[in-house]
Amino acid sequence: MGAGRRALITTAVTVVCAVTVLAAPGIAFASPSPTPTPSSSSTPSSSSTPSSSSSATASPTPVTNKDLEAVRAKLDDLYHDAAVATDAYNAAEEQAQKQSAQIVELAKKIVKGQEKLDELKDRAGAAARSQYRTGGLPDEAQLMLSDNPQAFLDGAGRILQGQRATKGLIAELTRTQDDLKQYTADASTQWQLLEKNRQAKAAAKKTVTTQIAAAEKLESQLEKKEKERLAKLEQQAALKAQTAWLDSGALKDISGKASAEGKAAVAYATAQLGKPYEWGAEGPKSYDCSGLTSQAWASAGDPIPRTSQEQWRQLPHVDVKDMRPGDLIIYFDDASHVAMYIGDGTIIHAPRPGRTVTIAGAGSMPILGVVRPDA
């Protein structure tokens, strides 16, 4: 490790930055410059080789807090991008499930419609066979040939009924055929949307795994003591943000009491403390951030959207000063993270890969706003 320790960390950050940029689609890069070929004059001689004694006495250069701050900032970026991609994956998964259900329902309608159409065709065929047995003459012609007045009157009524029935049969046949065409067209559209969301899911999954792998690679360059120092820096940054939020007076006006549903949601979330974060997970063994909040509110009898971005878009917004336990705090400008407020300026959330469901300060991350599932 020795004198190159700081260089190793700096290089790791640079390489991870390059890898994550290269992984992004639609970005073009210039061809690299050719590597210079060393000349004979540049060949190291024995006189320029460091002696064993000088290398042995080289003192290791410690990794500074500035280096670790660079690592922390990069890790934050990587995990934030992974969170955004996780939201995209969850949204595509939710849509795919809805489309699959719609396709199943349309298939059932198509089967029933085809059965109805077959029945109507049988009825039409029976009417045609009946006409054939009467010599092909329409009912009106046969009626005119009758010399029985009563039969004439009875027949006239039957003709009117028959005409109405025939018109009704034709109209029903037409409607059923139109319905079948529409069901088939709708099913085709849903199949196309399903395939589109499957592709979106696959792309999001690739982004998530790439970002997490890059973060894990960066962390793997650190020794145990450096990881401990990095963890302290993360805690200090969160504490600094929380203190600034509290000093702003945000908490002094918060006095709302939880609703019955809010208490149930908080109780569910609290019971998940210590369970690992896993992107795309909705429990019961692991969760991502919106998986935890959506399941908590589902358990309280008030289902909400699956993703943090849809929770922000669809649920009623409330002022921070009016929030109460059970409300959801949405973080970052892109609504890529969500946590549940539990009172006294604290939240329960599933932070990121490598962490567990935990309690944290509500102001430890940039707050976008607050939503209330049971408004």
Side-chain angles (χ1 to χ4, degrees):
M1 309 304 278
R5 186 68 191 142
R6 287 184 61 191
L8 175 62
I9 299 301
T10 304
T11 302
V13 173
T14 305
V15 169
V16 169
C17 288
V19 168
T20 52
V21 170
L22 287 169
I27 302 176
F29 297 91
S31 299
S33 302
T35 304
T37 304
S39 63
S40 57
S41 61
S42 65
T43 304
S45 63
S46 58
S47 60
S48 63
T49 305
S51 65
S52 59
S53 60
S54 62
S55 63
T57 57
S59 58
T61 305
V63 176
T64 66
N65 278 3
K66 183 178 180 180
D67 297 325
L68 289 177
E69 279 291 352
V71 172
R72 186 181 70 81
K74 186 57 192 173
L75 286 174
D76 285 347
D77 288 343
L78 290 169
Y79 284 123
H80 173 265
D81 291 345
V84 173
T86 297
D87 231 31
Y89 176 91
N90 291 335
E93 169 70 10
E94 187 176 35
Q95 287 301 313
Q97 289 176 353
K98 289 179 180 178
Q99 283 145 10
S100 295
Q102 288 171 345
I103 288 170
V104 170
E105 289 304 311
L106 286 167
K108 291 178 180 178
K109 288 181 178 180
I110 289 171
V111 169
K112 288 182 179 178
Q114 189 60 57
E115 290 174 350
K116 183 178 180 181
L117 186 62
D118 292 341
E119 179 189 349
L120 292 171
K121 286 180 177 179
D122 286 343
R123 286 167 55 189
R129 288 191 295 274
S130 174
Q131 187 175 4
Y132 176 77
R133 285 195 297 271
T134 61
L137 291 174
D139 291 337
E140 294 90 336
Q142 293 187 45
L143 184 59
M144 296 301 293
L145 294 174
S146 174
D147 56 1
N148 186 326
Q150 186 60 45
F152 181 90
L153 292 174
D154 293 342
R158 285 196 300 272
I159 288 172
L160 291 173
Q161 291 176 353
Q163 287 175 341
R164 285 195 291 267
T166 301
K167 288 180 181 178
L169 178 61
I170 293 172
E172 198 169 0
L173 268 167
T174 303
R175 282 196 304 271
T176 302
Q177 288 173 328
D178 290 344
D179 287 346
L180 280 171
K181 287 179 183 178
Q182 188 60 52
Y183 294 154
T184 302
D186 289 346
S188 177
T189 299
Q190 291 302 324
W191 273 114
Q192 292 172 3
L193 290 173
L194 179 61
E195 182 58 29
K196 183 179 178 181
N197 277 298
R198 281 174 175 165
Q199 292 173 1
K201 224 172 82 171
K205 180 178 181 179
K206 182 178 180 181
T207 301
V208 173
T209 53
T210 298
Q211 300 301 99
I212 292 176
E216 290 174 344
K217 181 177 181 180
L218 181 54
E219 288 184 290
S220 72
Q221 306 298 320
L222 302 174
E223 293 180 346
K224 182 179 178 181
K225 288 184 178 179
E226 291 163 350
K227 288 179 181 178
E228 291 172 351
R229 286 169 56 202
L230 177 62
K232 286 183 179 179
L233 287 174
E234 291 175 346
Q235 292 170 0
Q236 289 170 3
L239 180 60
K240 182 179 178 181
Q242 174 72 354
T243 301
W245 182 69
L246 293 174
D247 289 346
S248 71
L251 189 61
K252 67 182 179 65
D253 294 326
I254 299 175
S255 59
K257 294 183 179 179
S259 64
E261 293 85 355
K263 289 179 181 178
V266 169
Y268 180 96
T270 303
Q272 314 313 310
L273 286 170
K275 293 185 178 180
Y277 177 102
E278 181 182 358
W279 68 271
E282 299 178 80
K285 294 182 179 180
S286 57
Y287 297 87
D288 63 21
C289 66
S290 57
L292 176 64
T293 55
S294 61
Q295 288 301 306
W297 272 100
S299 74
D302 200 343
I304 62 174
R306 168 64 176 90
T307 68
S308 59
Q309 291 175 345
E310 286 304 301
Q311 288 169 7
W312 173 244
R313 189 176 73 85
Q314 295 186 35
L315 298 177
H317 294 196
V318 297
D319 289 338
V320 171
K321 64 182 178 62
D322 296 325
M323 69 180 175
R324 65 193 189 193
D327 287 348
L328 306 181
I329 304 181
I330 309 296
Y331 292 95
F332 305 106
D333 290 342
D334 52 9
S336 57
H337 190 70
V338 61
M340 180 176 292
Y341 184 66
I342 59 174
D344 296 326
T346 59
I347 56 171
I348 287 180
H349 70 145
R352 66 168 175 83
R355 300 287 190 267
T356 60
V357 176
T358 189
I359 294 175
S364 59
M365 296 169 285
I367 296 175
L368 176 61
V370 180
V371 295
R372 178 164 295 162
D374 60 338

